Amino acid sequence: MRTRLVLVAMALLIAICAAVGVVSYASMDMVFNKQLDRQLEQASSRANDFGRPPSNFPSSPSGRPDPLEARGQAAGTLNARIVGTTVRSSGLIDARGDRASLSAADEQVLLSLPRDNPPMDRSLSNGDYRLVAVETNYGDVIVTGLPLADKQSAEASLVWTMVLVSLGGLVVIGLVGTFIIRRTMRPLEQLSEVATKVSRLPLDAGEVALAVRVPASASHPGTEVGSVGHALNQMLNNVSSALEARQESETKVRQFVADASHELRTPLTAIRGYTELLRMTEDFTEDGWKSLARVRSQSERMTTLVEDLLLLARLDEGQPVKVEDVDLTQLVIETVSDEKVMAPDHIWQLRLPDEPITVRGDATQLHQVLANLLSNARKHTDPGTTVVTGVVLSDDSSVVVTVTDNGPGIPDDFQGRIFSRFARADAARSGSEGTSGLGLSIVESIVSAHGGSVEVTSRPGRTEFALRLPTVSTEGL
């Protein structure tokens, strides 16, 4: 932006200088021509009045003296006498005051001059001349000319002077203009820096410290830029208040979920215990047994949901992860083996490195991550689907664990929110009924707590979840 303004200003200055130069050159050319025409008029009068024909030949122009011999003719003056179509005498006075002859080509140029017209410029063998042809009362034509060399030299000096002065002025104005524009644009740059910093802040969740503000020098309401800076600070204050209110609300919700989940554990445990007691001590009809089994399964499902909510609450609070050495390769083998038992109608494959890979983290939580991903692939794909679990050490020394299936894929509009809590897409894959929508959210939270990341890529026929974990302990674990 600043460079563009400087270029525009320089272009305008160049255009102005060019216009001033053209006007000045035209004006000076007019002045020089007027001066030269006055001198030419005087020289022509001297040549015409010089001498008279002899008294015995009053009407004969041939008896008149050579006009070049008239007194007062300056160096460079050209004169010629034309009688009819013949040049009777012609020449010019050189710089030393001697007479110099004209060539035949020059005489032809003189013969072509119109009579009694305003002066005009012509090129001769000795240079450019301003010429005038005057018909006298004696029947001859006197041609007088003055050289244009002095005029051309003066105009060339004027042009070079204007060019050098303009260039010097442009350089000075460019430097001063650049300094002024930079100083003027500095508040806008400060506004841009603040806006850029704010745009990079993660404002969607968590506690956000929105402490960045436009400095006082760029937020004074007395100027246009200052008014914008002041308005931006007001907006940031409002956004900061909204973020604080949002954070306070999120904290209350999390605390409520944690407290409610904790309180629900006791009655759920009691329900499961009494259900088990009834199953062992009472005799029910077939429908009664089905109802009791339904109560038991739903209480177990509710218990799992409560445990998941409590885990998320602990992760949201930033509780430290229990760190130990975890053989990730062995953990993958065990988790896939468990899924084989639960879903023998799927094809389970492993792609593991030759050497075991060890990471630092919580073995229980990492097992839950793998179990959730494999369970997700099992529940949302049809029998016969191939699920491949791989472990590889990447070039940046991090471990990448992938769970890939050749199922129907995940819709594009759902992939952006697939890790959100309670996010479900009934049309995403078959068999989504009965899921809580917390599994992948737990996966992302656990992986983030271990200093890693998780991402998904999906298209019909191939869906892959990729976990990236550090191989060494991460600060804060």
Side-chain angles (χ1 to χ4, degrees), residues 75 104 127 139-140 151 157 163 256 363 411 477:
D140 58 353
K151 173 198 167 186
S157 298
V163 169
F256 169 77
L477 290 184

Side-chain angles (χ1 to χ4, degrees), residues 42-115:
Q42 295 171 2
S44 178
S45 297
R46 288 194 295 268
N48 289 336
D49 294 340
F50 176 66
R52 295 186 179 275
S55 58
N56 56 341
F57 298 102
S59 61
S60 174
S62 60
R64 298 189 67 188
D66 186 354
L68 196 61
E69 297 178 357
R71 293 182 178 180
Q73 300 294 57
T77 303
L78 178 149
N79 280 124
R81 184 187 300 277
I82 300 174
V83 178
T85 59
T86 305
V87 178
R88 294 294 180 87
S89 62
S90 65
L92 58 86
I93 302 174
D94 61 17
R96 296 179 297 179
D98 299 332
R99 181 189 183 93
S101 300
L102 298 180
S103 66
D106 294 340
E107 291 181 352
Q108 290 299 318
V109 173
L110 300 181
L111 287 171
S112 66
L113 288 173
R115 274 58 169 172

Side-chain angles (χ1 to χ4, degrees), residues 383-422:
T385 301
T386 300
V387 182
V388 181
T389 305
V391 180
V392 64
L393 188 63
S394 65
D395 295 336
D396 59 356
S397 298
S398 61
V399 180
V400 180
V401 181
T402 57
V403 177
T404 310
D405 67 69
N406 60 352
I410 305 171
D412 293 338
D413 58 350
F414 183 63
Q415 293 182 31
R417 53 189 177 90
I418 194 171
F419 295 105
S420 301
R421 297 178 186 183
F422 301 105

Side-chain angles (χ1 to χ4, degrees), residues 190 194 210-215 232-234 236-238 240-241:
Q190 292 175 331
V194 171
L210 192 59
V212 60
R213 292 292 186 276
V214 179
L232 182 58
N233 279 344
Q234 294 294 103
L236 292 177
N237 290 336
N238 188 29
S240 180
S241 299

Side-chain angles (χ1 to χ4, degrees), residues 184-243:
T184 304
M185 294 292 291
R186 179 56 185 165
L188 288 178
E189 292 178 353
Q190 292 175 331
L191 265 65
S192 177
E193 291 174 1
V194 171
T196 302
K197 290 179 181 179
V198 174
S199 67
R200 294 173 179 171
L201 291 176
L203 305 179
D204 54 337
E207 185 175 357
V208 181
L210 192 59
V212 60
R213 292 292 186 276
V214 179
S217 59
S219 59
H220 193 277
T223 62
E224 290 80 358
V225 177
S227 298
V228 176
H230 180 72
L232 182 58
N233 279 344
Q234 294 294 103
M235 182 189 70
L236 292 177
N237 290 336
N238 188 29
V239 172
S240 180
S241 299
L243 290 174

Side-chain angles (χ1 to χ4, degrees), residues 231-269:
L232 182 58
N233 279 344
Q234 294 294 103
M235 182 189 70
L236 292 177
N237 290 336
N238 188 29
V239 172
S240 180
S241 299
L243 290 174
E244 291 176 0
R246 191 248 317 151
Q247 176 62 25
E248 183 178 357
S249 176
E250 285 185 358
T251 302
K252 291 181 179 179
V253 170
R254 290 172 180 171
Q255 187 63 42
F256 169 77
V257 171
D259 293 343
S261 300
H262 188 272
E263 292 298 327
L264 285 172
R265 296 176 74 179
T266 300
L268 284 173
T269 302

Side-chain angles (χ1 to χ4, degrees), residues 425-444:
D426 293 338
R429 294 181 176 183
S430 62
S432 61
E433 183 179 358
T435 60
S436 65
L438 290 177
L440 293 179
S441 178
I442 291 174
V443 168
E444 184 183 43

